[in-house]
Amino acid sequence: MGNASEIFKFTRLSIIWLCLIFIPVWLVAYAVGIFIPYFLIKDQQNIFFDVFQALVPIIAVLVFIPINAMFMVLFERRGLALFTVRSGPNRVGVDGLLQTAADAVKLLFKEDITPRGADIAMFTLAPITFFAPSVFAAIPLLAAVTNDHPLFHIVNLPTGIFYVLAASSVPVVGIVMGGWASNNKYSLVGGLRSAAQAISYEIPLVLSLVSMCMMAKSLDVVQIANQQAGGILDWNIFGGGALRGIDKFIALNLVGNTIDAKTILDAAYPSGILSYIAAGVLIVCSVIMFLLYLTGACAEINRIPFDLPEAESELVSGYNTEYSGIKFAIFFLAEFTNLFIVSSIAVVMFMGGGGNPIPAWLLDPWWPSFASSVGPMFDLVTAKGLMLVDEHTFFPALWVIAKTYAFVFFAVLIRGTLPRFRIDQLMDFGWKRLIPLSLIVFLVMAFARVLVNVHLVMPAGGAP
Amino acid sequence: MYQLQLGQIGLFVLVGFALPALGMVLLAWGLQLFLGYHRPSQTKNQPYECGMKPMQAAHVQFDIRYYLYALLFILFDIEIVFIVPWILATDEISQSVGWKWLGPVEMLVFLVILAVGLAYAWKKGALKWE
């Protein structure tokens, strides 16, 4: 990559967007969740008081998804342009920020063609079947993203990750429907290929997430995200808490409390040297599981190198060959939303959710009482008294978005780098390599976990 | 703030998220019906096939070669449904007996049975793409 100014523009665009994306979502959440109930209705016994507050997650998601997908399309196009040393779309709006909006308006004015002989009902329902699950799947994630904010508490399901997995495997049905209903051979082959790769890569994907649930002993995404709070050593990608004892050992040593530090090491690694070996094994296994998740997720949402359902060079455009106008736009929107959701699952399950990567024992001396120094600032400029914006929600949300975009960037990088699989290679790789590997790694983790105390609680009074 | 029961949450999720998502899609679609133009013609509505007339109907009986994979997939998917309760209960099971390896050993037995099945299918050639 030789073009420094393009890299600078790309970074600037991303940072501008990170700041901008919160504003509409906040405004809407504030209007529906705070302004209308507290200032217009006032009466807390009124049924509409609760109804408006319960509407906040719905409105927030429905505002967030189109705006976010709009940026992701631009992000992908600019990213690919970066990797192929060209400029990418940079004319509409500042640095091309409004390019996708312009494209969406253009698609609205296009003719909506239904091919002759198509199954009209299925042809119309397919984009909806493809899009709706991506909205569903966002539900429990919302609670994790906002760090269990009271307004979003309603969507925190106790079996969150199970629900997310169930919802995120439905879009394949939409693809098969669209492929079959189009009355086009390319679409049919594309739809059926999509089903083939969904059944091959679902198992490694689910097993990798389930192994992380095993380490956390919970299916609740908020709980899993909160367990990883406290820096990069607590993240699930590094052994699902296998390093938690060492993290706390360092923290106590820095305070000067060497007696508690020794007990905490004994509590975390009860079987001596065997436990340390087990912790090392857990770290290796978690990284393997993380890579399995990335592979499975790429296949699940039909990204390159697994984009066989819409392989342009063989199947024209695969399952959406016959789609035009707004139906095509919905397919496109859902595709990018799925990418975002898959990335945010990776963030919540492996990358510490809303936690910052700097370990607490490093951050605290560097910026003492971080939260309490920022809190009063928030009191001044926002509605903290009304519990809409506070530092317990703001920073986690910012971190989740930033980390998620790191994954999206990774997906774009892969798209710019790797060629496409052949279908028999794809099936062989899934069934003969990934599934046995994921089963073995899962079993090894189940055994190694017994030797390490991954749910370590600090001794009373000794916590920094 | 909200102490809703699980069923209510499920209902909320369905009514609250399914309907708005559907509404959003229908709104966009309605907008296009209003804004876009509609002049269908014989040639335009013909399914695309590299510029020539379609050779045969696309709604044909298609030989899905991966049905054996699909059968195996059902097996493995059900396996995962069984694993999920196990991950939540494994420590309690081990503690109730007093042997800390009981949970993992159970899973070992369960997965070995599955792996033998997979190995058998592999050996019989079910995992061969023709």
Side-chain angles (χ1 to χ4, degrees):
Chain A
M1 275 186 284
N3 203 338
S5 81
E6 283 297 324
I7 296 172
F8 168 71
K9 275 183 190 166
F10 184 72
T11 321
R12 187 178 63 185
L13 194 68
S14 311
I15 293 172
I16 291 175
W17 186 261
L18 263 184
C19 304
L20 278 182
I21 194 158
F22 282 97
I23 295 172
V25 179
W26 269 346
L27 281 179
V28 167
Y30 183 81
V32 177
I34 308 287
F35 186 75
I36 294 176
Y38 281 100
F39 293 102
L40 296 186
I41 297 175
K42 288 176 186 157
D43 177 18
Q44 301 222 2
Q45 303 303 317
N46 192 331
I47 178 80
F48 285 105
F49 191 89
D50 280 352
V51 166
F52 272 106
Q53 293 215 318
L55 281 177
V56 170
I58 301 167
I59 307 272
V61 157
L62 289 182
V63 171
F64 180 78
I65 282 180
I67 298 177
N68 182 50
M70 262 168 57
F71 176 63
M72 278 173 70
V73 175
L74 181 69
F75 189 81
E76 169 141 15
R77 292 175 70 177
R78 290 296 291 260
L80 282 176
L82 204 64
F83 303 138
T84 46
V85 201
R86 51 195 173 86
S87 299
N90 59 359
R91 284 287 185 273
V92 190
V94 185
D95 269 359
L97 259 178
L98 296 175
Q99 177 66 46
T100 324
D103 285 348
V105 172
K106 181 202 75 181
L107 281 172
L108 267 182
F109 284 94
K110 289 281 173 186
E111 183 173 3
D112 185 14
I113 300 170
T114 311
R116 201 167 48 236
D119 187 330
I120 293 173
M122 288 241 286
F123 189 74
T124 314
L125 272 177
I128 300 176
T129 321
F130 193 51
F131 173 65
S134 58
V135 181
F136 292 172
I139 296 168
L141 294 175
L142 265 182
V145 165
T146 55
N147 201 10
D148 215 8
H149 189 277
L151 280 177
F152 292 88
H153 187 68
I154 190 167
V155 292
N156 181 18
L157 304 178
T159 53
I161 197 66
F162 209 53
Y163 176 83
V164 172
L165 285 172
S168 64
S169 56
V170 175
V172 179
V173 178
I175 295 182
V176 178
M177 271 168 79
W180 189 81
S182 297
N183 191 22
N184 182 321
K185 281 153 214 149
Y186 296 120
S187 303
L188 181 66
V189 173
L192 291 174
R193 277 183 177 184
S194 149
Q197 78 184 45
I199 60 171
S200 308
Y201 285 80
E202 180 108 351
I203 293 154
L205 173 84
V206 176
L207 265 179
S208 64
L209 290 183
V210 157
S211 70
M212 287 306 131
C213 292
M214 176 176 74
M215 302 308 289
K217 271 205 79 179
S218 170
L219 296 176
D220 186 341
V221 279
V222 174
Q223 213 173 322
I224 293 172
N226 283 343
Q227 280 180 10
Q228 303 172 57
I232 195 165
L233 293 179
D234 283 319
W235 289 3
N236 271 343
I237 185 174
F238 297 114
L243 285 175
R244 202 159 285 157
I246 289 174
D247 182 45
K248 286 177 177 162
F249 175 73
I250 298 171
L252 285 172
N253 259 331
L254 285 181
V255 179
N257 189 347
T258 44
I259 302 157
D260 266 356
K262 283 208 176 58
T263 41
I264 206 119
L265 218 51
D266 286 343
Y269 307 104
S271 313
I273 189 77
L274 263 181
S275 286
Y276 291 107
I277 295 170
V281 168
L282 277 179
I283 294 167
V284 174
C285 287
S286 304
V287 174
I288 294 174
M289 279 301 189
F290 176 67
L291 296 176
L292 279 176
Y293 176 80
L294 287 186
T295 318
C298 271
E300 188 84 358
I301 56 173
N302 307 323
R303 294 281 308 184
I304 287 173
F306 303 102
D307 71 332
L308 288 143
E310 52 174 302
E312 336 44 63
S313 46
E314 347 167 354
L315 294 183
V316 188
S317 181
Y319 59 89
N320 53 25
T321 305
E322 291 295 346
Y323 281 91
S324 58
I326 202 72
K327 286 177 189 157
F328 174 73
I330 292 166
F331 261 118
F332 213 61
L333 172 74
E335 216 166 275
F336 279 89
T337 311
N338 281 339
L339 173 58
F340 189 81
I341 292 204
V342 158
S343 311
S344 52
I345 295 172
V347 169
V348 168
M349 296 301 287
F350 290 96
M351 287 296 195
N356 62 354
I358 308 161
W361 42 265
L362 203 66
L363 183 68
D364 283 348
W366 175 56
W367 194 347
S369 53
F370 177 71
S372 61
S373 65
V374 176
M377 200 171 80
F378 273 95
D379 280 341
L380 282 178
V381 293
T382 59
K384 193 193 169 190
L386 299 172
M387 302 193 31
L388 183 64
V389 180
D390 55 33
E391 67 272 20
H392 304 297
T393 304
F394 178 77
F395 289 108
L398 205 60
W399 273 117
V400 168
I401 300 281
K403 286 175 189 173
T404 307
Y405 268 105
F407 275 102
V408 174
F409 183 78
F410 181 67
V412 175
L413 180 63
I414 283 186
R415 179 172 173 178
T417 317
L418 292 183
R420 187 180 299 132
F421 269 97
R422 214 170 57 211
I423 184 86
D424 61 325
Q425 291 170 337
L426 175 108
M427 299 298 267
D428 275 1
F429 185 58
W431 281 93
K432 296 181 180 167
R433 303 283 179 276
L434 293 190
I435 290 178
L437 179 67
S438 65
L439 288 175
I440 291 168
V441 172
F442 178 76
L443 210 57
V444 170
M445 281 181 91
F447 275 93
R449 195 185 73 100
V450 176
L451 290 171
V452 183
N453 186 359
V454 290
H455 300 284
L456 195 64
V457 194
M458 286 297 255
Chain B
M1 200 189 282
Y2 294 104
Q3 297 291 328
L4 289 182
Q5 297 300 309
L6 207 60
Q8 281 172 300
I9 294 177
L11 192 71
F12 166 78
V13 159
L14 275 181
V15 176
F17 280 84
L19 292 184
L22 205 66
M24 205 166 101
V25 170
L26 290 181
L27 182 82
W29 197 34
L31 209 62
Q32 193 194 20
L33 283 181
F34 181 67
L35 289 174
Y37 65 88
H38 305 276
R39 273 163 234 148
S41 72
Q42 195 70 9
T43 339
K44 201 192 282 174
N45 286 14
Q46 173 179 298
Y48 176 76
E49 201 165 301
C50 291
M52 53 185 180
K53 280 187 178 170
M55 303 285 277
Q56 297 149 342
H59 288 172
V60 290
Q61 268 203 333
F62 195 82
D63 178 21
I64 297 178
R65 289 173 180 175
Y66 54 83
Y67 71 97
L68 282 174
Y69 290 92
L71 289 175
L72 274 173
F73 167 71
I74 294 173
L75 198 71
F76 277 94
D77 229 21
I78 294 171
E79 162 227 337
I80 284 162
V81 174
F82 280 118
I83 287 180
V84 168
W86 175 85
I87 63 170
L88 297 178
T90 169
D91 283 358
E92 282 74 9
I93 297 167
S94 307
Q95 272 161 23
S96 68
V97 182
W99 186 47
K100 66 179 177 181
W101 296 107
L102 182 66
V105 165
E106 273 180 330
M107 194 32 67
L108 176 70
V109 173
F110 182 64
L111 287 185
V112 160
I113 294 170
L114 264 168
V116 167
L118 181 66
Y120 179 74
W122 192 340
K123 190 152 177 291
K124 279 280 176 184
L127 301 184
K128 209 162 78 189
W129 187 269
E130 297 141 17

